[in-house]
Amino acid sequence: MAKKTAIIAGAGPAGLTAALEFLEHTDIHPIVFEGSDKIGGISQTVVYKGNRMDIGGHRFFSKSERVTDFWNRLMPLQGSPSLDDKLIGDTQKTFAPEGPDPEKADRVMLVRHRVSRIFYLKKFFDYPISLKLKTFTNMGLQRTFLAGMSYIKSVFHKLPETSLENFYINRFGKRLYSMFFEDYTEKVWGVHPSKLGADWGSQRVKGLSIWAIIKDMVRKAFGTKDKENTETSLIETFVYPKFGPGQLWETAAEEVRKKGGEVVMQTKVIGVHVTDGKVDYVEVEDKDGNVSKKECDYFLSSMPIKDLVGSLKGTDVPDDVKSIASALPYRDFITVGVLVKKLKVNNKTKLRTYKDRIPDTWIYVQERDVKVGRLQIFNNWSPYLINDYKNTMWVGMEYFCTEGDAMWNMEKQEFISKAIDELVHIGFIDKSDVLDATQVKIRKAYPSYFGSYYQLDKVKAFLDRIDNLYCIGRNGQHRYNNMDHSMLTAMKAVDAISSHSHDKSSIWAVNTEEEYHETK
């Protein structure tokens, strides 16, 4: 009897997780089709002249043991949490190779110390905002007083949570919201928080609030801080693949092939044919434009829902479903990698660092006079991302835009030049220290929570009626999932298939139930 076949659209975390789950727990043969020449989707690692870029930054942390076990099977942990200070501190230089070769590198996870801060008023603030003395001195007496009064007002006067703006104000007060959330949120989404849904906040910042920060401080003081009772935004350590997230997903793709599955690159799904309520075959197009049909018993889609609905054939798609899906909004993403001799800003934290470098992984830029939204200091994610760790700093400048807008269409070298000028303007570098720079664009990086998103349930209900179609991953569900959430959607889909269940609610429920909430 011939094996059943599952066709999977997309070789990102969801697609590759599904393929391995099929191979390890069922006798179903998975075939993954990836339209690009890159493994990992937004979790890929881009290599430029020996320096590696993590697109968007990917902390490997999850409250799901199933996800953590999956990672550990692919890439075991090197060391223990007790090595955090060594990995981030002076001795980190001992981990820095002269020219890392991913083909020869050990496949291990490093323990990392998470440092994320906000850059505002040309000063550093903890992220999430802490109640340390430094926070208040940076804000100044007047701002601190007004922020305190505003927070007290928010405690006793709750706004209806009809928008992300009201969601933040209820938890931090209007003043702190205005200082630390409003502008950055608008940079990311291109619309004011008053026009974004509160459910985005419930997914991404969960129970984070001033009160949560106070409780976290108390736990620390009494030594009772633990992973299960800590808001994810307050997590201080994570693990990270030695050569970036793409290394793990490239390893996953190799494992799929070793176990008998298929990963077909530069071949995209362009048509999904439905007969009698089931997908019976898909049409795929290779890099040379050749189109072929591939029969399947199951189809798992991490394609953007907009593209999936547009590719359906053989079934009548209601006009309202077409309209809603075609209008689903996305934000696109541009990273500028800037290689410099050194940064002008020095380490003023208690962490010991190599050459007194700042210890940050992420820096959220709240300054209103620049367009850059966030900085990544790749040296602090893993020293192996840098070709010359000892003598250079490798900075990622993150910009959020919409495909076709002025930012997206700007000529590459002009964009890079303007980005470098912004880094100079905020006081992070001297222009004379720039050694090299590059640019990477990512389409549909962030599913957005406005517009036709609020009618998405109609699209989901229609898609769920196609019996053997399963929507997985960030774009596959149009939900701003973290990597572990995307993996869980794939795991739940394989669970449903292997148990012959037709109920897809558990797949859609990932990152809506409380235990799945995570934030970067």
Side-chain angles (χ1 to χ4, degrees):
M1 182 176 176
K3 279 188 175 182
K4 291 186 175 181
T5 298
I7 287 180
I8 303 166
L16 292 171
T17 297
L20 278 175
E21 290 286 299
F22 278 125
L23 291 165
E24 293 173 356
H25 303 295
T26 76
D27 60 356
I28 296 168
H29 177 69
I31 306 174
V32 181
F33 289 105
E34 168 58 46
S36 74
D37 61 351
K38 297 287 191 293
I39 291 289
I42 196 175
S43 299
Q44 65 185 268
T45 300
V46 175
V47 182
Y48 176 74
K49 296 182 182 179
N51 295 299
R52 289 168 167 75
M53 301 172 65
D54 181 348
I55 305 300
H58 292 83
R59 286 191 293 130
F60 283 69
F61 170 84
S62 181
K63 293 182 179 179
S64 166
E65 289 186 12
R66 187 173 180 181
V67 167
T68 303
D69 289 345
F70 184 100
W71 288 334
N72 290 340
R73 290 198 304 273
L74 288 174
M75 296 179 67
L77 182 66
Q78 175 175 289
S80 66
S82 64
L83 293 178
D84 285 344
D85 290 338
K86 291 181 181 180
L87 287 170
I88 200 70
D90 289 347
T91 57
Q92 190 172 33
K93 60 187 177 182
T94 63
F95 294 98
E98 294 303 319
D101 182 353
E103 297 301 322
K104 299 177 182 177
D106 293 331
R107 291 174 176 172
V108 295
M109 293 278 208
L110 303 178
V111 180
R112 311 309 291 151
H113 193 105
R114 175 207 189 237
V115 180
S116 297
R117 289 187 292 176
I118 295 169
F119 191 68
Y120 176 60
L121 302 173
K122 299 292 190 291
K123 298 173 183 177
F124 284 103
F125 294 81
D126 290 340
Y127 175 79
I129 291 299
S130 69
L131 301 182
K132 297 176 183 175
L133 178 61
K134 185 69 173 176
T135 301
F136 302 129
T137 57
N138 280 350
M139 287 171 59
L141 182 62
Q142 183 178 14
R143 283 193 186 91
T144 299
F145 175 78
L146 293 174
M149 292 298 99
S150 177
Y151 173 68
I152 291 172
K153 179 180 178 181
S154 74
V155 171
F156 295 101
H157 176 64
K158 295 296 183 185
L159 299 173
E161 293 197 350
T162 54
S163 69
L164 184 59
E165 178 174 64
N166 287 0
F167 177 93
Y168 279 131
I169 291 172
N170 281 346
R171 283 153 184 79
F172 296 95
K174 189 172 180 61
R175 288 277 178 172
L176 286 176
Y177 153 73
S178 179
M179 285 190 282
F180 297 114
F181 296 97
E182 185 174 17
D183 289 334
Y184 178 78
T185 302
E186 189 164 6
K187 280 183 183 179
V188 173
W189 299 110
V191 296
H192 192 267
S194 61
K195 301 187 187 316
L196 284 167
D199 50 346
W200 184 89
S202 66
Q203 279 190 332
R204 300 301 291 182
V205 299
K206 190 190 172 186
L208 186 62
S209 63
I210 293 292
W211 181 238
I213 293 168
I214 293 171
K215 288 192 292 184
D216 184 70
M217 291 175 66
V218 172
R219 290 192 188 106
K220 281 185 184 178
F222 289 93
T224 59
K225 185 178 173 74
D226 66 85
K227 174 179 170 179
E228 293 301 319
N229 295 314
T230 302
E231 298 302 338
T232 312
S233 290
L234 302 172
I235 293 298
E236 296 176 345
T237 62
F238 60 96
V239 296
Y240 192 75
K242 197 172 182 179
F243 289 99
Q247 184 192 15
L248 183 133
W249 297 113
E250 288 156 13
T251 300
E254 289 180 23
E255 287 297 306
V256 170
R257 293 182 176 117
K258 284 180 184 177
K259 293 176 183 293
E262 299 176 54
V263 181
V264 185
M265 304 300 294
Q266 293 181 279
T267 303
K268 60 183 178 181
V269 174
I270 60 170
V272 180
H273 195 274
V274 179
T275 301
D276 297 329
K278 289 188 176 183
V279 179
D280 52 357
Y281 69 85
V282 300
E283 295 174 322
V284 297
E285 182 180 35
D286 67 19
K287 63 180 181 179
D288 298 318
N290 301 311
V291 177
S292 57
K293 293 181 179 181
K294 303 292 181 181
E295 294 183 354
C296 62
D297 297 284
Y298 308 99
F299 178 55
L300 283 70
S301 173
S302 67
M303 301 163 59
I305 285 180
K306 174 186 288 189
D307 297 342
L308 173 62
V309 171
S311 70
L312 291 173
K313 299 179 179 180
T315 186
D316 291 328
V317 182
D319 289 340
D320 60 342
V321 170
K322 288 181 183 177
S323 176
I324 295 165
S326 66
L328 284 172
Y330 299 84
R331 284 293 270 175
D332 305 290
F333 186 78
I334 300 174
T335 295
V336 175
V338 183
L339 186 69
V340 296
K341 295 176 185 176
K342 63 182 183 297
L343 298 180
K344 286 178 67 175
V345 288
N346 294 321
N347 179 27
K348 294 183 180 179
T349 72
K350 293 180 180 179
L351 289 169
R352 297 172 61 208
T353 58
Y354 182 61
K355 289 187 176 180
D356 201 32
R357 293 168 171 172
I358 59 174
D360 304 74
T361 45
W362 277 312
I363 299 170
Y364 295 85
V365 182
Q366 298 282 38
E367 305 293 10
R368 291 178 169 88
D369 55 355
V370 291
K371 292 183 178 179
V372 63
R374 191 169 63 177
L375 303 178
Q376 284 182 266
I377 312 299
F378 293 119
N379 298 59
N380 297 330
W381 287 87
S382 167
Y384 293 98
L385 298 182
I386 319 303
N387 190 42
D388 184 1
Y389 172 83
K390 297 178 182 178
N391 300 303
T392 61
M393 295 290 286
W394 183 222
V395 180
M397 303 182 67
E398 299 180 356
Y399 292 86
F400 311 96
C401 57
T402 299
E403 185 176 0
D405 68 12
M407 195 180 295
W408 183 268
N409 288 338
M410 189 180 297
E411 190 272 329
K412 179 178 179 180
Q413 289 306 317
E414 181 185 0
F415 195 102
I416 290 172
S417 178
K418 287 182 180 294
I420 291 171
D421 287 344
E422 288 198 341
L423 206 53
V424 172
H425 177 73
I426 62 176
F428 269 67
I429 65 168
D430 283 324
K431 200 164 188 175
S432 59
D433 286 328
V434 175
L435 299 170
D436 203 353
T438 189
Q439 180 201 66
V440 176
K441 292 181 175 182
I442 300 291
R443 290 180 171 86
K444 294 184 174 66
Y446 300 122
S448 297
Y449 286 46
F450 59 91
S452 69
Y453 164 79
Y454 287 104
Q455 297 172 285
L456 185 59
D457 282 347
K458 292 182 180 179
V459 180
K460 287 163 55 177
F462 171 77
L463 293 174
D464 280 351
R465 290 198 290 270
I466 302 175
D467 187 63
N468 60 344
L469 167 65
Y470 299 84
C471 294
I472 60 174
R474 175 180 280 197
N475 279 332
Q477 294 196 334
H478 200 86
R479 180 172 293 137
Y480 192 179
N481 288 328
N482 277 350
M483 182 167 49
D484 61 329
H485 302 135
S486 293
M487 294 170 64
L488 281 164
T489 62
M491 292 172 173
K492 295 288 185 180
V494 175
D495 289 347
I497 290 168
S498 61
S499 64
H500 307 290
S501 172
H502 297 280
D503 183 3
K504 301 173 186 176
S505 58
S506 64
I507 306 168
W508 291 104
V510 172
N511 199 18
T512 61
E513 298 173 352
E514 182 175 349
E515 61 266 30
Y516 291 131
H517 286 292
E518 306 273 336
T519 67
K520 289 183 178 178

